[in-house]
Amino acid sequence: MKFCKVCLLACTFLFALTENCLPQSPMVPWLTRSADNSRSGWNLHETQLTPASVESKGIIRATIIPVIGDARGVEAQPLILPRVKTARGIRDVMVLPSMADVVRGVDAHDGSGIWQVRLGTPVTGARSIDSKLVNQFWGCLSTGVIDPDKQRLYQVCWVSPDKTGNPQTARYFMFVLRVGDGSQVVRPVLIQGKSGTQDFNAAMRKQRSSLVETNVNGVKTVFGCSGTINETEVGVASGYCFGFDVASNTVSAMLALTAGEGAVVWMAGQGAVADAEGFLYVITGNGDFDGVSQWGEFLKLRYTPSSAGVPATLQVVDHWTPWTDSARTGQVAAHGVKLAGVSAPSEAIKPVGAGMNMSLKDAKLVPMVSDQGTPLLLVFPQIATGNWSDEDWGSAGPACIFSIGVCVATGKDGIAFPIKAGDLGGTTLRDLATPKANCAKLAAPPVWITMSPGPVDPCPTDPRTLNSFPWGDTAHLHMTPVQFFDPALGSWTIFAWGKNSQLHKWAVSSTGNLTYIAQSHEFASADVRGNSPGGMPGGFCSGSSNGANPNSAILVCTIPYGDANAHVVNGRLLLYDAVHLAADGSLKVLWDSQRWGVQFLFNKFDPPVIDGGQIYVPNYNGGVDLYRLVK
């Protein structure tokens, strides 16, 4: 007993010397984007941050962790590996790769620096990469992955070998860094290879989709997927997925997702989902589709490691798509293959006027009534000519709940398609002639997940009926829905926050049926709603709880006030009770940065991280905000 009292006194004295007098919660590994290979976005081991503690104590921004070399800072989500041996002793290390190709290792509790390495010269921001010029540099764009056994970070970065910053000559490299000191395990490995008629380095890529590591029968492999800069560049602009063998530190397999163009994988920065058997699940954007070798759709991939001199392979083993772009726009690719896609067009729209009485050139206005019984105006803009017209399904990653065998695939229409993970359905061009039969292959009927457009069938015979904006604003989903088993409901639930819309909570039954639960009062891009097509990209969220305790679950979200696609805009941080609703039936707000005057620049695609009683919010100020409970 005396020994315990001495320990308590010593701990009390040590904590009194630190900024935070609260005991530190043990941190859990946050090794990949959205916490795990299912991309749940949920930490089940959080003990300090609860609805009660947040409401009674409040939270405070304790510090801003600087990210070096780039005005915007990070596009990658911060990763955390606890209990790492470093030059500063045993530390919980947070890894921060910047768009300037500088990677920092910092103490996850206070943000103090442990190590820092420069990996090369990044690409200089230009309109050829980003027409809005939001980013200063393009370097370490995607979120890497940490192998906890080897304590190594696998990080892909865009590097200019000739140091000119020219995207035409820049190349992507895999860097393998020791988390303890940032040193390189091997020389940078060039991402290269051919697949069919496609060559990965024949066009400028945009490797935004995050990495994932699998371990199947003791074989560890890191996977990444990429988009491209000019999606319609014929013959070279295919989306790609690749495998990186951890044992040999080599690129082991390459897969082009079309033989033509498109089918890019970006999912707003989300990475491929991986199940326990090592199958990968991705959603592509615009792209060629024939159901045979052109894969503009929802895909399931299988990796086969090399064996007995036979090279490793990465191949499509199943797929599903709801329609083709040609059915949405009446367009057909030059080579005669139909194009797949899901979303209503946005970028090509030419707005005239503003406000709720806006008009769009050649648009058709259709009065409707929403599911809540309120008047609604659907604006059907004139479909622009040109390839795809932003018909982009893969604007968000899938929410795969493997315990019930369902992947909820979403995109720019704001429609959720519950797909059977074990049998996607293998859509063919013939299937698309009868959309209802094709949708019957799903685990459950599709639903509108980000907003209600009234009695509009989400699986129509004529998909052109989906080419509308509610009140003239888009309702695209860029956030991969956060997944949580709600013990109060006895059901899986997902949270989704679309553009110009509110946060929505849905229950997912054991058979994949989605049931609306509640929504928030707060809108994304509130300052530009009604000025068609509104703002981008909606909200990004993560959640936490202490296991299945229903009184411990919180959801942490960021949203922009304006259009974060076209401008660098202010952001809003909101904490919600993930289980208990407010008295009016809405999602209950626990803390709101707007109320407390906390300001930061919104990071366009980067969700918060919740770990060890702390909340990390990447900003566009060039850093990461660290929040914790008030003392």
Side-chain angles (χ1 to χ4, degrees), residues 3-13:
F3 176 76
C4 292
K5 288 182 178 179
V6 171
C7 288
L8 179 61
L9 288 172
C11 290
T12 302
F13 175 72

Side-chain angles (χ1 to χ4, degrees), residues 91-103:
R91 300 285 177 172
D92 297 335
V93 178
M94 171 175 282
V95 177
L96 300 173
S98 84
M99 287 286 274
D101 283 342
V102 176
V103 184

Side-chain angles (χ1 to χ4, degrees), residues 365-386:
L365 308 181
V366 179
M368 302 287 284
V369 177
S370 75
D371 290 347
Q372 285 76 37
T374 57
L376 175 71
L377 183 68
L378 296 185
V379 179
F380 287 79
Q382 182 71 24
I383 297 296
T385 59

Side-chain angles (χ1 to χ4, degrees), residues 110-433:
D110 60 17
S112 58
I114 300 174
W115 53 262
Q116 178 177 311
V117 294
R118 180 174 294 277
L119 301 180
T121 301
V123 171
T124 303
R127 294 193 186 278
S128 61
I129 309 170
D130 175 14
S131 62
K132 306 301 190 297
L133 290 178
V134 169
N135 292 97
Q136 180 185 7
F137 295 112
W138 291 79
C140 301
L141 174 60
S142 67
T143 305
V145 63
I146 292 176
D147 183 317
D149 303 320
K150 294 178 176 291
Q151 296 195 345
R152 292 175 181 177
L153 168 72
Y154 295 85
Q155 178 70 50
V156 173
C157 300
W158 205 7
V159 176
S160 175
D162 58 12
K163 300 184 179 181
T164 63
N166 182 354
Q168 297 282 355
T169 56
R171 294 291 182 266
Y172 285 98
F173 292 86
M174 178 74 79
F175 293 88
V176 185
L177 306 180
R178 295 180 179 89
V179 177
D181 60 12
S183 61
Q184 296 191 38
V185 176
V186 294
R187 293 176 60 85
V189 179
L190 177 66
I191 306 297
Q192 63 179 333
K194 293 183 178 180
S195 174
T197 61
Q198 300 277 324
D199 185 333
F200 182 81
N201 285 313
M204 292 186 294
R205 309 290 170 192
K206 191 174 282 187
Q207 203 277 313
R208 187 183 289 276
S209 180
S210 300
L211 306 185
V212 65
E213 184 182 52
T214 63
N215 185 349
V216 180
N217 298 323
V219 178
K220 291 186 176 183
T221 313
V222 171
F223 298 96
C225 296
S226 80
T228 190
I229 298 212
N230 299 313
E231 289 183 308
T232 58
E233 189 175 351
V234 176
V236 295
S238 172
Y240 261 91
C241 291
F242 58 88
F244 183 86
D245 181 66
V246 167
S248 62
N249 289 308
T250 58
V251 176
S252 53
M254 274 282 184
L255 174 65
L257 299 179
T258 69
E261 64 270 7
V264 301
V265 181
W266 69 286
M267 302 185 296
Q270 188 58 277
V273 172
D275 65 18
E277 297 176 84
F279 288 104
L280 306 177
Y281 303 79
V282 299
I283 313 177
T284 71
N286 311 315
D288 297 346
F289 168 71
D290 62 9
V292 179
S293 61
Q294 313 277 51
W295 306 112
E297 54 184 283
F298 184 86
L299 303 176
K300 182 176 183 177
L301 309 180
R302 179 176 60 210
Y303 176 73
T304 304
S306 61
S307 177
V310 178
T313 60
L314 187 60
Q315 59 189 149
V316 177
V317 293
D318 206 352
H319 61 281
W320 188 85
T321 193
W323 42 67
T324 65
D325 279 352
S326 59
R328 293 289 294 260
T329 66
Q331 298 173 74
V332 178
H335 45 72
V337 177
K338 295 183 177 181
L339 307 172
V342 185
S343 74
S346 64
E347 298 298 331
I349 300 307
K350 306 296 183 185
V352 180
M356 298 307 287
N357 295 318
M358 98 297 289
S359 62
L360 291 170
K361 185 178 180 180
D362 300 321
K364 180 173 72 171
L365 308 181
V366 179
M368 302 287 284
V369 177
S370 75
D371 290 347
Q372 285 76 37
T374 57
L376 175 71
L377 183 68
L378 296 185
V379 179
F380 287 79
Q382 182 71 24
I383 297 296
T385 59
N387 283 357
W388 308 326
S389 301
D390 199 31
E391 296 291 313
D392 198 353
W393 187 6
S395 60
C400 290
I401 308 174
F402 291 118
S403 63
I404 60 174
V406 173
C407 287
V408 180
T410 58
K412 284 189 177 177
D413 273 318
I415 297 173
F417 298 91
I419 299 175
K420 299 175 184 177
D423 180 10
L424 273 56
T427 303
T428 66
L429 288 173
R430 184 181 298 273
D431 290 333
L432 294 178

Side-chain angles (χ1 to χ4, degrees), residues 31-48:
L31 307 176
T32 188
R33 173 154 165 153
S34 298
D36 50 49
N37 283 5
S38 296
R39 311 302 185 185
S40 70
W42 202 272
N43 176 4
L44 281 168
H45 305 282
E46 175 55 48
T47 59
Q48 279 198 40

Side-chain angles (χ1 to χ4, degrees), residues 367-521:
M368 302 287 284
V369 177
S370 75
D371 290 347
Q372 285 76 37
T374 57
L376 175 71
L377 183 68
L378 296 185
V379 179
F380 287 79
Q382 182 71 24
I383 297 296
T385 59
N387 283 357
W388 308 326
S389 301
D390 199 31
E391 296 291 313
D392 198 353
W393 187 6
S395 60
C400 290
I401 308 174
F402 291 118
S403 63
I404 60 174
V406 173
C407 287
V408 180
T410 58
K412 284 189 177 177
D413 273 318
I415 297 173
F417 298 91
I419 299 175
K420 299 175 184 177
D423 180 10
L424 273 56
T427 303
T428 66
L429 288 173
R430 184 181 298 273
D431 290 333
L432 294 178
T434 53
K436 290 299 182 185
N438 188 44
C439 284
K441 296 181 177 183
L442 298 170
V447 300
W448 297 92
I449 194 174
T450 63
M451 53 81 196
S452 168
V456 179
D457 188 349
C459 184
T461 300
D462 183 356
R464 289 176 298 177
T465 62
L466 305 177
N467 295 344
S468 68
F469 304 158
W471 289 117
D473 290 335
T474 55
H476 304 172
L477 185 64
H478 293 279
M479 162 193 166
T480 299
V482 171
Q483 308 141 48
F484 170 62
F485 187 87
D486 188 330
L489 292 175
S491 170
W492 280 97
T493 57
I494 59 174
F495 296 87
W497 202 326
K499 293 169 58 176
N500 310 296
S501 187
Q502 303 124 297
L503 173 65
H504 287 69
K505 179 180 180 180
W506 292 81
V508 186
S509 75
S510 60
T511 57
N513 285 278
L514 278 82
T515 304
Y516 168 82
I517 301 297
Q519 64 192 40
S520 70
H521 289 298

Side-chain angles (χ1 to χ4, degrees), residues 13-96:
F13 175 72
L14 288 173
F15 278 121
L17 295 178
T18 65
E19 175 191 11
N20 182 12
C21 291
L22 291 171
Q24 293 180 337
S25 283
M27 305 198 86
V28 297
W30 195 287
L31 307 176
T32 188
R33 173 154 165 153
S34 298
D36 50 49
N37 283 5
S38 296
R39 311 302 185 185
S40 70
W42 202 272
N43 176 4
L44 281 168
H45 305 282
E46 175 55 48
T47 59
Q48 279 198 40
L49 292 164
T50 67
S53 67
V54 171
E55 282 195 302
S56 63
K57 296 177 180 293
I59 65 170
I60 188 172
R61 182 166 57 190
T63 189
I64 301 176
I65 306 170
V67 176
I68 304 300
D70 183 81
R72 300 282 73 84
V74 294
E75 294 284 353
Q77 190 179 44
L79 300 179
I80 298 171
L81 184 62
R83 305 290 299 169
V84 178
K85 184 178 180 181
T86 75
R88 294 183 54 198
I90 303 297
R91 300 285 177 172
D92 297 335
V93 178
M94 171 175 282
V95 177
L96 300 173

